[in-house]
Amino acid sequence: MFVLPAPSEPSAFWSDVKATKNFVLQQSVSTGGAFLKSVLATIQNVLETKPPPYRIVYRHDPSAIAYILLAVGETTGEIESDWKWLSENIMPVVAELDEPAERANFVVTKIRFLVSAEEGGQD
C-alpha cells in the first residue's frame, strides 16, 4: 500500500530484498530467525511500534543516508504489486531525469497524488 512519502533512515531493522539505483524493497529483520525475531519484537513492544514487515523506500543515490518511505505491505504479494507498479510507471521516468532533486520531487509528487486519489476514492 502506498503511503504519503515520509523521511526514513536506513536501519539494522531492515534488510534489502530488491534494489535499483533509487528504489529499495526491504523486509523487516524481525521476520528472520527465532532469536533475532524475539529480540526485535521485544524492542518494538517496548517502543510500542510494530511496522509492517515490508516497505519500499526511495534513495537519492546508493550511498544515501536518508530515505523516503513510499509503500508498506503486510504480505509479499502486496509489496511485490507495489514494486511492479513502480517499475512500470515511475522507474522509467526517474531513469530519464538528470538531477537528483528533480528525481526525488517527481517521485514524491507522483506518490502523493496516487495516495490522495486512493483516499478520495474510498470516501
Side-chain angles (χ1 to χ4, degrees):
M1 166 178 63
F2 289 102
V3 296
L4 285 174
S8 183
E9 295 181 5
S11 164
F13 294 114
W14 296 96
S15 65
D16 295 356
V17 175
K18 292 183 184 180
T20 66
K21 180 180 175 187
N22 296 109
F23 296 88
V24 185
L25 188 157
Q26 298 180 319
Q27 181 177 9
S28 173
V29 175
S30 65
T31 59
F35 175 73
L36 185 57
K37 185 175 182 176
S38 69
V39 170
L40 292 177
T42 301
I43 292 169
Q44 290 170 340
N45 287 336
V46 168
L47 299 175
E48 296 183 16
T49 60
K50 180 81 170 120
Y54 301 97
R55 71 180 188 172
I56 298 173
V57 294
Y58 173 82
R59 59 185 177 188
H60 295 286
D61 63 65
S63 63
I65 57 171
Y67 294 154
I68 300 171
L69 179 65
L70 302 177
V72 296
E74 292 293 333
T75 66
T76 304
E78 180 182 6
I79 205 70
E80 286 287 347
S81 175
D82 291 343
W83 182 266
K84 181 180 179 196
W85 189 90
L86 285 171
S87 67
E88 293 172 354
N89 298 285
I90 301 292
M91 292 180 194
V93 178
V94 169
E96 298 293 321
L97 300 174
D98 293 327
E99 296 296 319
E102 186 180 15
R103 289 191 299 263
N105 186 48
F106 174 79
V107 171
V108 168
T109 300
K110 289 296 184 182
I111 299 301
R112 279 187 182 154
F113 177 78
L114 182 65
V115 170
S116 297
E118 285 177 356
E119 288 177 353
Q122 293 178 354
D123 290 342

